[in-house]
Structure formats: C-alpha cells, structure tokens
Amino acid sequence: MSLDEDTRWLEWVTKQFEAIAGEDKEIDLEEFKTALKVKESFFAERFFALFDSDGSSSISLDELLGALNLLIHGSEADKLRFLFQVYDVDGETTTHTHTCYGSMCNGSGSIDPDELRTVLKSCLRESAISLPEEKLDDLTLALFESADKDRSGAITFEELKAELENFPEVMENLTISAANWLKPPEAEERRRQAPRYLTRAYWQNNSRKLTFLMAYALLSLLLFSSALLHHRGGGVCYMVAKGCGQCLNFNCTFVMVLMLRRCLTWLRATWLVRVLPLDQNILLHQIVGYAILVFTVVHTSAHILNFAHLSQHTGYSLWEYLLTTRPGVGWVRGSASLTGVVLQLLIGLMVLCSSTFVRRSGHFEVFYWSHLSYVWVWSLLVVHCANFWKWFLVPGLVFLLEKVLGLAFAHMGGLYIVEVNLLPSKVTHLVIKRPPFFTFKPGDYLYINIPDIATYEWHPFTISSAPEQSDTLWLHIRSMGQWTNRLFEFFRQPETLASSPKRLATSLRNKRQLIPAKLGDNHQLCNIKCYVDGPYGTPTRQIFASEHAVLIGAGIGITPFASILQSIMYRRRKQNCPNCSYSWCENIIDSDMKLRKVDFIWINRDQKSFEWFVSLLTKLEMDQADEEPEGRFLEMHMYMTSALSKNDMKAIGLQMALDLLAKKEKRDSITGLQTRTQPGRPDWAKVFQKVSEENKGKVHVFYCGAPALAKTIKAQCEHFGFHFYKENF
C-alpha cells in the first residue's frame, strides 16, 4: 500500500473500532464474534486470544491494528506463523506484544492429530458442510500424513510451511474475514470505468436488441408525428392525445405479438433467429408495457386538458366530458371517456402487479390473475377507439389460434404424474407420463396445470429430461410462491391441505394412489391428473450450433442444462476397447451438432442442493471417455457459496484436506463426484480467461439463475467477446 492508502486504512479501522467498542474503548469476545461474522466460536476464540497480546480478555485499538497490520501487510512467514498458532490448539497464547507474531511465542510448537481433527471439525461447521465422522477422520489422516514428512506424529511449523507451498493459490491472499470487515472499500475514483453501455463490446454483443429498439423507437416517432400532423387543426392538446392514441393502437397490439410463444418457437428454428432478438422477447414485452403506461398517461392528460378547454365553450362541464356519455365522444354511443377511465385503471393495475417486487416476493398469483385482464383491455379498446380493430384483427386471430391449439393439445389424452420425489431445499421432482405427440428440444419449457393444486392456474417450468427419453417428462420445481408451496405440501402431506378440502375429498373418493412423503423419500408412486401446454423454445436452443458452450446454472437454474447435458451424451456414443480398459467417444451423425467443448458450471448455496442432480452428473462422468484427442469434451465445475474460500484462514486446512483426499479417492467428499467442489464463488475473469485460451471456437455462454448474477456474467462476456444468452420466462 502507498502512504495515502495506509492513512485511509488507519482512519477506516479506527472508525469501525469505535462503532463496535463500548465506552471502555475495548472489544470483548462477544463483540469480536459479531464483528468477525463467524459461525463457529472456535475460530473467534482462537483469533481473539492471539489478538489479545496483553492477556486482558479484551482487545484495544493498538492490539487490533497490530494484528491486522500483520495479516494484511505482513510477510508470508508472519501469516503462516499466525495460522500455525491457530491450529496449535493446546499451545498457550502469548502475553507479549503483537511483535510476538514474528516468533513461535509460547505454543507447544507442534500440531498433533487430535488438534488437527478439532480444527477441521470447526472448519466444516464454519463452511456449513456436513460429513460423517468417518469422513472427518479420513480428512484428518490425509492432511496429517501429507504434512508430517518425518513421521514424528506431529506437524511442526516448517512442515506446515512446506505443505502450504504445494497450494500456491492459498498463499496469494492469506487473510480472514476480519480483514475484509476492517479494510476500507476501494476508492470509487480508482475503480470507476467507462459505463459498459458506451463500450464497443456492449454494442457488438447487443446489436440485434439495440437495432430492434431503435427501429421500434423510430416507428413510434413516425406514428406519433403522422397522427399529430393529421389532426393539426384541433389544438395542441388534441394533437398530442391523437398522437399518443395512434402509438397505443400499435403498442397494445405489439405487446401481444411479443408473447406469441408458438410463433416465436417456430421462428427460432429459422434464419430470423440471427436477425431478430427473439431471446429478449420478455424484456421487449416489458419495455412495450411501460411504453403503453406512459402513452396512456400522456393520452389521458392531454384529453383532460382538451376537455377543460372545451367545457368553457360548450354546455358540458369537465366531469360530464370525463364520466358521462352525454357529450357523445367516441364511436360507440359516446363511451370513449368512460372506457378510457376504466382502461387507465386496468393498465396501471397490470403494470403495478407485474413489477419485480410482486413476482419475486412469492405472490406470483397476483401477477397471474391481474395479467388476465388483458382480455378486458382489448375488448374496451375496440369500443374506445374506432381504428383499433384494424390493428388488432390479424395478430388477435393468431393469438386466439395459439390459445385454442394450446388448450386442445393440453386436453388431448390423459396425462398423469406417475412419480414424485421430494428433494432438499423444497424442490419437487415430478415425473409425468409423456404423451406420444409431445416432441421438444433440449432446454424447452412447458406450462402445467394440476387441478388438485389449483383448477385454473398454469405455471411455466423448464423440462429437465432429455428429448431422447421417450416415455416420461421430468420437472424440477422449487417452492418459492403460493402455488409451488401448495404443490410441495400436497405431495408431502396431502391430508393437511385444509385450503382445498373439496379437492382433497374428491382425490380420496377417487382413491388415487398417493403415498404421503417425507423429506428425502424417493420414488413416491402416484396417479395425479395434470395438463401441459407446450413445448416452447428458449435461448438454449442455440447450444448445439455453438462450438464452445459454457453452461452456467445457479441453484435450480440447472434444470434446462440437465436436459441439454443428457441430450449431448445421447449424441456421443462411448466406445470401449475389448482388449484393454481404454475408452473413447464417437459423435453420432447429427447435422445440428457442432459442439467441440462444453463447460458446465453449477453454483449452489449449500451442500444439500447438489443432491438434486448428483445421480445424473455421476452418470455423465461415467459416460465420458478416459482420453480424447482434443481434450476432455465435458468439464464440470461445482461451486458451493456457503463454503469459505481457500484464501480464508478459517478454511485453509479443510480445503487442503479435501484436495488431498479427493486426489487419493478420486472422488469429491461433498458431492461424491469425480469433480472437486470449489468453495465460494467463481472468479469470472479467471474462468472466462481460461475458456478464451482453450481456442475451441466461438464461445456461447448460457445462463439460468438469479438476475443479479446475470448482469455480472454478461459484463464479463462483453469483455471477452463471448455471446451471452439468458434463460427467462
């Protein structure tokens, strides 16, 4: 750090210390635990004892600055000695000043197996990893045997230092959470860069969307101007109202065109997918929706001002113009004003109830039912405006045809949920008997209606099974809202569904074979009636046209990639040599398959979430060849965000032990896969840099998960020149 940075750091530490310390200007153990944000008290107590250089059972500002100065500015040897003291549990903490960190102090000078086991057990708790006692013993033995070079039965400081040299990534940034808490944020002035929207990479990677939006804006301007000029004799307010009205004719029809799912799915199979932003249809639908709200408000306001002007020269008051049919405004018995007021309210309600905070807060039904008022909006628009039907006729007929076809296909034959599996984190795995007419592509989604859950509600979910799996459809549904929570509870304890006693009674009378389930139970057989509408295409249909595909799933966002990965392996036949154990893969002839490399990245919050698809991923690993001429075709990367990263002092020992045991057993201790689960979050710059250096062809990144992470990944894709596709409904 420079002198200025040191000064800022000292000021920041002092400020944070004063915010936590009491009137005595000292931090006790409980305050230290809170500041450190540790889950396991073992580490807080060990750090506190080492920071408390005078043994007073409290930490002063000078003691804190001395310890943090060593951890942030100290040499590797200083940091390693501190780490050794943390692990040397039976060593007595020093009563000297903080300069003692540079020596061995008064510890026992070695780490025995019991001490190491105690530390690793605390590391597991801190990282929210649950392993059986036998596995903990294996981890302890693996690390101890590797570090105890002289087989003396104890690990010395020099042996620990030598062992850490085998893990260079640990030494890059040896720190603890307290350092992050007491380090000032980087100066915004130094980090500030040009807005990504002004970069050349952004415009190249978003050319279709931006071109489309510019064309949309230009068309809206032309429509507004033409209507303005056509009614230029009616006054300014009247002209503005007519201009907005013409734009509303177009937008209230176009907003429907963007949701013609069957047409968009068909267009994705044509060359137009390279010209039109079909993958952003939801975003464009939202933009047009907000444009409708703006045009509606301006249109209404202009008419009110115009009516106020007219009321001064006619026999009608302003309220008669707005709330009665007496002035005769409109082509259907003077109803334009009344229908306009109702339309204003309906459109405002639809926009409000479709806001992110409503849809993401577990109130999807509010969005769903309020959005169905589009039927009333279009009906009122036909009455409100004499020309709207001309805009609406053809798209409206196509929309109606799509709805009729959807209902016809949905009710064609009997569909039943034949199996259910309740997975960790309240995920419901449904197995549906696949109808013979249902053909789909990997990554497609469908709408499902389960009358026993809600009679009229349809909800979209990605199909997680492969198209080549001909007899069943898989859906993995995470409980995040009212409908999904009812679904989970229905299959867990159907007799407790007090919210729908009539439907439950009907189920019991029909004697459906539903076995009450408990969390973790597998293969619950059932026979529940359901309806499906689809399939509908998604951006993931571009995967097989890619040369190097990077699939990124966050949590339950793995579902489209589960289907895709299975389909990929169906298209690659593994061959085994009859005379030896050598194996290789051959691509089955497929004109659509251009893939040369696939990187699959799955990010989960906790350990249990990996159980959703661990059996599938295990099979994918087994189906791969031992060696391939161009390198491994499919590489999997697992990340567990609740686990502390390798450069956190509270996790160094555990991550070293996990690495050593994984090499020994050729199996990850957390998931059971051959792929090692990485702690923390991916460093996207490093991940994409590695992908870029592989030179396997054009890189296409496909993401399904939380919108916040999508922004980060998209920014990195723009930096490296990768194509980015985001899954959304």
Side-chain angles (χ1 to χ4, degrees), residues 154-201:
I155 301 172
T156 64
F157 171 74
E158 294 300 328
E159 287 176 326
L160 179 64
K161 180 180 178 181
E163 183 65 22
L164 279 169
E165 288 175 353
N166 297 324
F167 298 87
E169 70 276 7
V170 172
M171 299 306 301
E172 288 179 4
N173 186 22
L174 188 60
T175 182
I176 59 172
S177 300
N180 292 329
W181 165 65
L182 285 172
K183 279 174 66 178
E186 294 184 35
E188 290 298 323
E189 293 79 9
R190 290 188 292 112
R191 299 182 62 187
R192 188 173 297 157
Q193 299 176 350
R196 53 187 283 257
Y197 304 106
L198 300 179
T199 62
R200 181 180 179 183

Side-chain angles (χ1 to χ4, degrees), residues 279-504:
D279 298 335
Q280 281 88 30
N281 69 303
I282 299 294
L283 173 64
L284 297 174
H285 175 80
Q286 294 170 340
I287 291 173
V288 174
Y290 287 120
I292 289 173
L293 179 64
V294 171
F295 283 128
T296 301
V297 170
V298 176
H299 175 77
T300 302
S301 301
H303 269 310
I304 291 174
L305 292 174
N306 185 51
F307 288 155
H309 174 72
L310 291 175
S311 64
Q312 298 175 1
H313 302 87
T314 63
Y316 300 107
S317 66
L318 175 61
W319 298 111
E320 286 179 304
Y321 272 111
L322 292 176
L323 302 175
T324 70
T325 60
R326 285 194 288 272
V329 179
W331 75 298
V332 180
R333 298 186 178 182
S335 59
S337 295
L338 283 175
T339 54
V341 171
V342 178
L343 282 166
Q344 181 73 73
L345 295 174
L346 285 176
I347 291 171
L349 179 67
M350 289 177 70
V351 172
L352 177 65
C353 294
S354 63
S355 301
T356 303
F357 76 89
V358 174
R359 291 184 289 110
R360 303 290 183 186
S361 60
H363 297 90
F364 181 83
E365 286 78 2
V366 175
F367 159 75
Y368 177 82
W369 289 108
S370 64
H371 239 58
L372 288 180
S373 58
Y374 65 75
V375 177
W376 293 106
V377 170
W378 289 333
S379 301
L380 288 170
L381 281 170
V382 171
V383 177
H384 179 78
C385 177
N387 293 318
F388 178 72
W389 69 270
K390 300 175 184 177
W391 292 84
F392 182 77
L393 182 60
V394 174
L397 288 175
V398 176
F399 182 84
L400 180 62
L401 180 61
E402 279 208 358
K403 289 295 182 183
V404 171
L405 287 175
L407 290 173
F409 285 134
H411 291 79
M412 186 183 297
L415 291 183
Y416 290 90
I417 301 169
V418 296
E419 191 176 320
V420 63
N421 188 11
L422 301 184
L423 302 175
S425 302
K426 298 185 72 175
V427 172
T428 307
H429 174 202
L430 301 181
V431 180
I432 303 170
K433 185 67 177 177
R434 181 175 173 180
F437 58 84
F438 195 93
T439 58
F440 66 98
K441 299 286 187 181
D444 283 359
Y445 70 99
L446 55 74
Y447 280 79
I448 186 170
N449 167 252
I450 305 175
D452 282 336
I453 306 300
T455 305
Y456 302 108
E457 292 185 26
W458 293 79
H459 294 267
F461 298 104
T462 304
I463 304 169
S464 52
S465 53
E468 292 83 357
Q469 188 176 326
S470 59
D471 55 342
T472 57
L473 293 170
W474 289 3
L475 299 180
H476 284 76
I477 302 172
R478 180 122 187 225
S479 299
M480 299 182 67
Q482 296 177 10
W483 188 89
T484 52
N485 279 319
R486 289 204 304 269
L487 175 74
F488 185 85
E489 293 300 324
F490 179 80
F491 285 113
R492 186 172 66 165
Q493 288 182 330
E495 66 271 17
T496 64
L497 285 181
S499 61
S500 54
K502 182 178 179 181
R503 208 171 293 128
L504 176 62

Side-chain angles (χ1 to χ4, degrees), residues 239-296:
M239 292 165 62
V240 171
K242 286 298 183 179
C244 290
Q246 186 76 319
C247 291
L248 285 168
N249 284 335
F250 165 67
N251 280 275
C252 289
T253 301
F254 187 52
V255 75
M256 170 184 59
V257 171
L258 292 169
M259 297 307 293
L260 294 174
R261 296 187 182 90
R262 292 185 186 277
C263 292
L264 293 175
T265 299
W266 174 77
L267 287 174
R268 279 191 171 92
T270 69
W271 60 271
L272 288 172
V273 73
R274 296 189 294 270
V275 179
L276 300 175
L278 301 178
D279 298 335
Q280 281 88 30
N281 69 303
I282 299 294
L283 173 64
L284 297 174
H285 175 80
Q286 294 170 340
I287 291 173
V288 174
Y290 287 120
I292 289 173
L293 179 64
V294 171
F295 283 128
T296 301

Side-chain angles (χ1 to χ4, degrees), residues 1 39 41 46 86 102 111-112 124 175 228 232 257 299 306-307 362 384 430 433 453 462 486 496 527 593 633:
M1 282 188 179
K39 304 172 187 174
S41 61
R46 294 296 298 151
V86 172
I111 302 169
D112 61 40
L124 287 170
T175 182
L228 204 72
R232 57 183 177 272
V257 171
H299 175 77
N306 185 51
F307 288 155
H384 179 78
L430 301 181
K433 185 67 177 177
I453 306 300
T462 304
R486 289 204 304 269
T496 64
N527 195 31
M593 181 81 161
F633 174 78

